[in-house]
Amino acid sequence: MMQYPAYIPEKRKGFSLDPRTKLLFMVLIATLMFVVYNNMPYICVLAGLPFLLLIVNGQKKTAVIYGSLFVLAVIANYIKDIATLPQLLNGIVVLLIALVLRLFPTFMMGYYIIKSTKADEFVSSMERWHVSKKVLIPIAVVFRFVPTMQEESQSITEAMRMRGIQFGTKKFWKSPGTILEYRLIPLLISVVKIGDELSAAALTRGLGNSVKRTNIAQIGFSKNDAIVLIISIFLLLWAFALGVMS
């Protein structure tokens, strides 16, 4: 009888982290963003961590857009008291600045987690935390839903470009609502279809089974997780020092 070689899972490459480390680090950043809200150097350091992780993970375009928006928000935060704006416009500007400074770093950490974590790694790590399957299955579906939805959106954009339906063309200026119609309707149909398919795929792979599943995903505490742990301790001590000195 022919014997097949045992499957050897691919080793994690680059600056890879355990999914649990990523989640805890995101919670830490989100908490510190609201606890230490009046120290701009500290806020900039916190915002720089998701930027570095995105760069390391290869999402350079997203990192540049995020970094540029954050820098503009920091500049606007310093000059908002200098410039005199109408009350309504000033309120909108202050709200946008607060959203970028407080929430964008957390959103970018979430984006990094989704883009850098495979579904099997996430499921395996959450099972070690004994997370309920009622919570685990929907989140596992989301990990596949977001990349698939991005691919579908890109396909719709290319189809619209082939038909000359995009911003700035004659068809757009003739009927601006067309661009929304041709994008939103296919996108909504794709959302429902993809959600159903991914839910069925998750159940087919046994995520809803009461029997404990086996998993070949390589997860665990590594030297990269130790680096993040040291950074987290440093941030907590810095936040404590700022609280003592304030």
Side-chain angles (χ1 to χ4, degrees):
M1 187 174 180
M2 183 179 296
Q3 293 183 351
Y4 295 95
Y7 175 76
I8 301 176
E10 182 181 358
K11 293 183 178 180
R12 295 185 292 176
K13 299 179 181 179
F15 191 81
S16 58
L17 298 171
D18 188 279
R20 293 164 293 182
T21 302
K22 299 175 188 177
L23 288 174
L24 293 175
F25 196 51
M26 182 180 70
V27 172
L28 177 67
I29 290 179
T31 303
L32 292 177
M33 275 289 178
F34 286 92
V35 172
V36 187
Y37 57 87
N38 56 352
N39 189 286
M40 189 54 64
Y42 188 86
I43 294 296
C44 291
V45 170
L46 287 178
L49 295 173
F51 176 81
L52 293 176
L53 289 173
L54 288 171
I55 291 292
V56 171
N57 197 50
Q59 275 77 47
K60 297 181 180 179
K61 182 179 179 181
T62 303
V64 170
I65 295 174
Y66 157 64
S68 302
L69 287 174
F70 192 86
V71 170
L72 289 175
V74 172
I75 296 174
N77 185 63
Y78 279 111
I79 66 175
K80 64 181 174 63
D81 297 329
I82 300 175
T84 303
L85 298 174
Q87 186 175 3
L88 178 59
L89 182 58
N90 183 69
I92 294 174
V93 171
V94 171
L95 178 61
L96 291 176
I97 292 174
L99 287 175
V100 174
L101 293 181
R102 300 290 183 267
L103 300 180
F104 261 42
T106 306
F107 289 161
M108 289 299 100
M109 272 301 302
Y111 180 82
Y112 163 74
I113 291 174
I114 292 177
K115 297 295 289 186
S116 64
T117 307
K118 297 180 180 179
D120 57 344
E121 294 176 347
F122 179 80
V123 170
S124 180
S125 60
M126 292 300 101
E127 285 179 345
R128 294 190 183 184
W129 268 357
H130 305 288
V131 176
S132 172
K133 292 184 179 180
K134 295 179 180 179
V135 178
L136 180 58
I137 293 177
I139 298 178
V141 171
V142 169
F143 269 85
R144 289 300 309 143
F145 178 82
V146 174
T148 306
M149 198 65 253
Q150 288 180 339
E151 295 176 2
E152 191 69 21
S153 178
Q154 185 177 359
S155 299
I156 294 173
T157 302
E158 293 175 356
M160 292 173 61
R161 187 181 297 113
M162 291 175 62
R163 300 186 62 179
I165 305 173
Q166 56 183 340
F167 183 80
T169 60
K170 293 182 179 180
K171 289 186 178 181
F172 171 79
W173 295 116
K174 185 177 180 180
S175 180
T178 304
I179 194 170
L180 295 177
E181 177 185 352
Y182 280 83
R183 171 168 288 277
L184 288 181
I185 293 178
L187 201 60
L188 290 174
I189 295 175
S190 298
V191 166
V192 176
K193 183 179 179 181
I194 292 171
D196 291 340
E197 290 177 351
L198 290 178
S199 298
L203 295 175
T204 303
R205 294 183 178 184
L207 290 182
N209 199 335
S210 58
V211 180
K212 186 176 180 181
R213 300 170 63 251
T214 58
N215 202 311
I216 60 174
Q218 288 188 338
I219 60 173
F221 196 81
S222 65
K223 62 178 181 180
N224 295 335
D225 298 279
I227 294 174
V228 173
L229 176 61
I230 294 173
I231 294 174
S232 301
I233 294 174
F234 171 75
L235 292 174
L236 288 172
L237 292 176
W238 190 3
F240 179 75
L242 291 174
V244 171
M245 292 186 295
S246 60

